[in-house]
Amino acid sequence: MVPKAKKQQGPAWFGEAWARDDGLVLNLPVFNGCGPKFKRLLLRAIRFYEYEDHGRETWFDFDNDEICTLETLPAERLPPLLQKTLGQKLDPGDYICKGGDYDARLVVVLSGTVEKLVGDSPQGGKLVVRRLARGDCEGLPEFLGVGGTQQRTCALRAAGDGAHVRYVTREAIVSLMKQTVPAEDEDDEPVPRWPDEIAWFQSLAIDRIDALPHKAAKELLSFAPLTGAKKLDFMSLEGQSIFVIDNALGLSVSGPLPEGIEERYYFDGQTVISPGAQGDSLVMILRGEAEALVPAGCGGKCLPRTYKTTRSGSWLGDGRCPSPAPVDQGSAQAAPEVPKKLDPIEELRMQKNSVVMYTALVKPTDIKRARRKLSAAAEAGRLDLSDQKTTDWRWSWDDPKALVVLDILEENRLLSAYGEERADEVRLHQNPPKLPPPPEPQAILKSGTQVGHLALLGVPVVFSGVIRAKGPLHVVILHRHVLLEAIKDCPEVKIFQPNGVTPEDWVDYLSQPVIRKGEPGARPAHLGPNTGPPPHTTKEEAAEPKAGTYEAWKSESGQFGGMPGADALDLVLLNAIKDYALLWDLIHDAPPAVLEKVVSKFEPRWLLPNERIIEDEEPNADFLFVVIHGKFVVMLEGAEIDHIGQGNIQGGAQLLTLNDWTRTVIVDPMNKGEAMIQVIRRSKLVECFDNQPTQQSRLRQVEEGLRDAKKADWRLLKNIPAFGNITERKFLQRVYKDADIRLYCPGDVLAEAGTPAPSLIVVLAGTLRSEQAQTLFFVELKRGDWCFQNNILGIDPERAHDVVAVTHAMVMVLYRHALLNAVVAHPAAREAVLDNETWRTDPEVPRLKSLKVFENVPDPVIARMEVEAAPRYYKQGSIVQAAGSFIEDDMLLFLLRGEVKVSILGIYIRHLKAGEAIGVLRYMDLDTPTSNVEIVATEACDVLAVRKSTMADALSEEKYEDDLAPYKNAQRVLGGGPILDAFGFPIGGGSKYRPDCIEKSEVLQACSETFVAQMPQLVEEIAFWPGEKLFSQGDVGHFMFFIKAGRVRLEVLGRKKHEVVGGGATIGDMACLEQVPYHTETAYAETHVWARVLHRKLIRRALASFPEEEKRLLGSASGGTGVFAD
């Protein structure tokens, strides 16, 4: 018998076999939003590409005994796994791509190392900025189409050990997302097969209205670490050749980024900047947002932050999946401890203690009684004893019935002392206290934010908390080693190469004498002995370029001229020590070892915009800090009271433990990147004076001389005339509690004539001198004395004279906004305080009745509104309404004095002046969406916050029904209700209420859905009253108006019949889009009108984020047929 031939078998991994490297690719974060079926077809496309790349379009399928080709392979079937076709193997030095290549492949490293290079990248690159190992991927921006480009911005090559890489083509994703399936209804168009995956990849493209284009990365090549500082343009320096924008015939040869800049892409939760790592680059966000987590214990103060380097390598995240942070101060919670293995006896004891036995919880004499009470509860249905098998009833600590047993025994007073302790333990076990949530990130970094200026200077910047992506994030990076290489032949390179300031330098600098006011030789030579204080110098005259800036390095007369930036910042600390009399008077003649020790005890801290240094009333915060770099905002009771910068010192009173912090200090939200301070704790300073009796004695003398400040309380305020008629103690206590208490040193200027300041000064301890420049008149102020009452009452906006500290002094500063807050909280004091504010009766101060919204409102209602309204004060530069927020309780803010500016995304829109109001629509109980409008006081503003409840009460009163009919009519029309004539009948044409007036606008019909959906973020919601003009014929088209409700009349000179448009119409668009030079008609509000107003500048800003939309938008505006709508 002839044996039957065996069927030839292929390798074991043929057919549906998946390699480990398949999982590596398909489990990348970029595919997290894809389902398994989609991933399987993506793997099919990957293998198709690899088969074609290796020239293997045909193969023999052993399992099915057939010859297969790529062309004939069924759509749902995978090409078999072949190890020799998987990916591409590269020899050392082989290039994957070069800068400027149109290549949208995602490159995934399977083994070996791939180098990423910038600088002359079209020719292969000069400098390595990243090394990729197994699991890393590169090319995400091109693969996802971020910014609308698929052009490489770098070169990728295999390192010295070679590399094995795999590619995922963009075409594979696009092809899958184009697949459709029949709709449920046969007559409907087919629907996308992969809707979830389409939404996922659309979100990863980060097409946001606030995003920046690639060309904005040029900002990285203009070094200016502070806003307003003179820029150092790297591209204009002679001798450097790396930083260029390589264009030819209008096309970018080296990609959309300037040469020398790297781009990276991060997914939600991935680390962008690692905690504990030293800064080595400048990072700028182009698209998306990042958040800086608050380290443990740092919610209200920065002191617990670590400042030492705890990890090596770059501070940039590697783009891998989020992983738990290392256990350090940058981590919110420590990792759980591994339980120890118990010996048998200990384990038995633990098991015994983990049950509740009623016999162990009561006294032996009460066991029978306890049993009867539990049995009675079981009969009553309160307790279930059916599962008890023994007579010593017992329950697990986890059993809810154990709590019932404990309650019954406790109600009948049967628990012994031991039983009460065990009962508390069981209740705590079953109802453990909830862990407090981690503090919300204080720093949210948005498009345009830059972090790392100080790192470029060589400052060892270390963040204590992780900075991670909040959603998908696209950043560009200037590496320090690239910068140094690029400008190595330029003299400006010295700014970025610190020499280092040694302890010997500290001592030499601090050993130089300082001449203070009152000492021989201190008086300026040009002044005679009897001319009084010198004239004031302007800020411009006194200003010196800030340390660490190009301007300071370039200065020939300044102390930082020619000094490396990092060294100049070290000098800021030494200057602050010498200039601050509290410290200098203690150590000016101390031995060198003490001087060195004092400087060494200062610790640096680096913070990001909006992060807190200290919070009001934060306990255990006896430290002093010096501002080294950046701008900071001082807050008191929720309002800004000061802005401080380089060289400023805060915390003297706290260092002496005279009082807790009464102010909150944060990094200015508009600060350009990271800020730096130096901190010294009281314990560290005292440690420096060990075995130094002179310094110890001086410290005690200062503290003892100011102890009277601790005895001060609210009773001091009764001596001030403004409060003399107020008998309510709680009001005065509130005013005192909300005051700012500070330490001033001899020679410190507390006030300068002519400067705006809305506060009153009260001396708590020490001596001040009130004086006028260049006069001999002065008045000494001691404990209990006060000045500037007219300032806090708003009568005088500016200081009338100077105030200078003669000795160390503790001073209480009462601020106007805090006083008004106390008035609102204690209405009984309202009349006594506001009657002293004589400016309120000035005929030029606008009245609430003048507002259009309150026309015809009866005088008694207006009077009640004014009485119940909350008076408020906003300092110049204060935020009146933050972007994305509403005014609390939907109050209406009526400007009595001052001026505010309205902006969106930082772009100025318009001004509001005295007599105008903020928040009208929400006050009228209309559903106003959240917007990005930010309102900031450009002048000191007094405001009346009118309560919505007052009008609601008036509307409910029958006697005002007729008088308030116009107000109700305005509410109805603006809310989309019928428009009535004088007799109460609906007018012809009816009303149109179009909340989607932007999304459905004809002007935007040719634009993409993604673009149009974000346009509402850029508009301001404005109400117009009948007869008000929206714009005039011949005016420049700064705005376009999307009409949400109401009717607008359009008039043209010479045209007899006027056009009337209603909700859903868009007007002013032709001039706003510059299709015509001016408005061609005049627009009046025919009825009440709710318009959503868009400024021309914001359209341009939007088009910068969506450059491909410009042709579509302008084509539609010019009457095109949407040919640009792809």
Side-chain angles (χ1 to χ4, degrees), residues 9 173 324 823 926 969 1019:
Q9 298 294 322
I173 296 293
V823 166
L926 298 169
N969 178 57
V1019 300

Side-chain angles (χ1 to χ4, degrees), residues 909-932:
I909 304 301
R910 64 189 182 114
H911 271 80
L912 298 176
K913 299 182 179 181
E916 298 186 85
I918 302 168
V920 172
L921 288 166
R922 288 193 68 85
Y923 177 84
M924 297 181 73
D925 209 23
L926 298 169
D927 186 18
T928 308
T930 306
S931 75
N932 283 325

Side-chain angles (χ1 to χ4, degrees), residues 776-794:
L776 297 179
F777 176 79
F778 71 91
V779 175
E780 281 199 345
L781 306 174
K782 296 183 180 294
R783 176 179 167 81
D785 291 336
W786 53 269
C787 56
F788 304 127
Q789 177 179 257
N790 280 359
N791 290 143
I792 196 172
L793 294 175

Side-chain angles (χ1 to χ4, degrees), residues 454 457-460 498-503 505-506 509-510 547-548 559-560 563-578 599 602-604 606 626-629 646-647 676-678:
L454 299 184
L457 292 173
V459 178
N499 299 319
V501 180
T502 65
D505 296 330
W506 301 345
Y509 191 82
L510 294 178
Q559 61 176 327
F560 306 122
M563 186 178 294
D567 296 349
L569 295 174
D570 286 341
L571 189 59
V572 171
L573 173 61
L574 300 181
N575 283 339
I577 293 173
K578 296 185 74 170
V599 178
F602 277 89
E603 302 171 353
W606 292 276
V626 181
V627 177
I628 303 299
H629 176 81
Q646 192 171 93
M676 178 182 177
I677 61 173
Q678 289 276 5

Side-chain angles (χ1 to χ4, degrees), residues 33 65 77 123 213 294 480 667 732 780 859 907 931 940 987 1016 1080:
D65 197 22
R77 185 170 161 188
Q123 305 304 318
V294 178
R480 183 168 185 266
V667 183
L732 295 177
E780 281 199 345
D859 290 340
I907 297 173
S931 75
I987 64 173
T1080 57

Side-chain angles (χ1 to χ4, degrees), residues 289-305 438-446 449 465-468 470 606-615 618 632 664-670:
E289 294 181 352
E291 59 184 0
L293 299 192
V294 178
C298 298
K301 57 187 175 184
C302 70
L303 205 58
R305 290 177 181 263
E440 290 292 322
Q442 298 162 0
I444 303 296
L445 312 179
K446 301 188 177 185
T449 303
V466 63
I467 301 176
R468 70 183 184 186
K470 186 181 180 184
W606 292 276
L607 303 104
L608 293 165
N610 207 50
E611 289 194 321
R612 286 167 176 74
I613 296 179
I614 188 64
E615 211 162 66
E618 184 71 25
F632 296 78
T664 297
V665 185
I666 66 173
V667 183
D668 191 330
M670 303 305 294

Side-chain angles (χ1 to χ4, degrees), residues 182-478:
E184 293 183 4
D185 191 332
E186 294 181 358
D187 296 331
D188 291 343
E189 293 290 328
V191 297
R193 181 182 180 185
W194 311 105
D196 293 340
E197 285 76 7
I198 291 174
W200 168 252
F201 285 109
Q202 284 179 342
S203 71
L204 296 186
I206 329 181
D207 286 333
R208 294 172 45 143
I209 210 81
D210 61 348
L212 294 174
H214 281 82
K215 63 181 181 181
K218 185 181 177 182
E219 286 293 314
L220 292 179
L221 301 180
S222 296
F223 182 76
L226 292 171
T227 302
K230 185 177 180 180
K231 295 183 178 181
L232 170 59
D233 185 359
F234 297 137
M235 288 196 294
S236 66
L237 297 179
E238 294 184 9
Q240 79 82 21
S241 58
I242 288 181
F243 300 133
V244 294
I245 298 178
D246 193 359
N247 291 332
L249 299 177
L251 300 175
S252 177
V253 175
S254 57
L257 292 178
E259 277 291 347
I261 301 296
E262 182 199 1
E263 66 177 338
R264 293 195 189 183
Y265 188 100
Y266 293 96
F267 295 91
D268 183 37
Q270 288 186 337
T271 296
V272 181
I273 294 181
S274 302
Q278 184 171 319
D280 58 356
S281 55
L282 175 60
V283 182
M284 177 180 177
I285 296 176
L286 288 186
R287 293 173 177 262
E289 294 181 352
E291 59 184 0
L293 299 192
V294 178
C298 298
K301 57 187 175 184
C302 70
L303 205 58
R305 290 177 181 263
T306 184
Y307 63 95
K308 296 180 179 178
T309 302
T310 57
R311 69 171 79 199
S312 59
S314 174
W315 73 347
L316 294 171
D318 57 15
R320 294 176 180 265
C321 291
S323 58
V327 180
D328 60 10
Q329 289 183 315
S331 154
Q333 293 182 353
E337 294 183 2
V338 178
K340 298 179 180 179
K341 188 174 181 179
L342 303 175
D343 60 67
I345 296 177
E346 180 71 11
E347 189 172 356
L348 182 63
R349 187 184 70 80
M350 293 291 291
Q351 290 176 356
K352 185 177 180 181
N353 288 341
S354 65
V355 296
V356 177
M357 294 187 295
Y358 83 97
T359 55
L361 301 177
V362 301
K363 295 178 181 178
T365 56
D366 290 333
I367 291 178
K368 291 184 178 179
R369 185 175 169 219
R371 185 179 183 86
R372 288 198 301 272
K373 293 294 182 183
L374 294 176
S375 298
E379 292 174 1
R382 185 179 177 186
L383 179 65
D384 182 10
L385 297 175
S386 61
D387 58 345
Q388 297 298 319
K389 306 301 182 185
T390 60
T391 57
D392 59 342
W393 299 334
R394 63 184 66 193
W395 294 266
S396 165
W397 275 36
D398 296 320
D399 191 341
K401 285 181 286 187
L403 297 182
V404 179
V405 172
L406 294 172
D407 289 343
I408 294 170
L409 297 177
E410 188 174 55
E411 291 166 4
N412 291 278
R413 299 182 180 179
L414 292 171
L415 289 175
S416 63
Y418 170 79
E420 290 178 349
E421 292 179 4
R422 300 297 285 175
D424 290 341
E425 292 174 359
V426 173
R427 288 177 176 134
L428 184 62
H429 174 76
Q430 288 203 26
N431 300 291
K434 293 183 179 180
L435 292 174
E440 290 292 322
Q442 298 162 0
I444 303 296
L445 312 179
K446 301 188 177 185
S447 299
T449 303
Q450 299 181 22
V451 178
H453 285 102
L454 299 184
L456 290 186
L457 292 173
V459 178
V461 180
V462 175
F463 291 121
S464 181
V466 63
I467 301 176
R468 70 183 184 186
K470 186 181 180 184
L473 179 70
H474 182 213
V475 303
V476 286
I477 304 160
L478 172 59

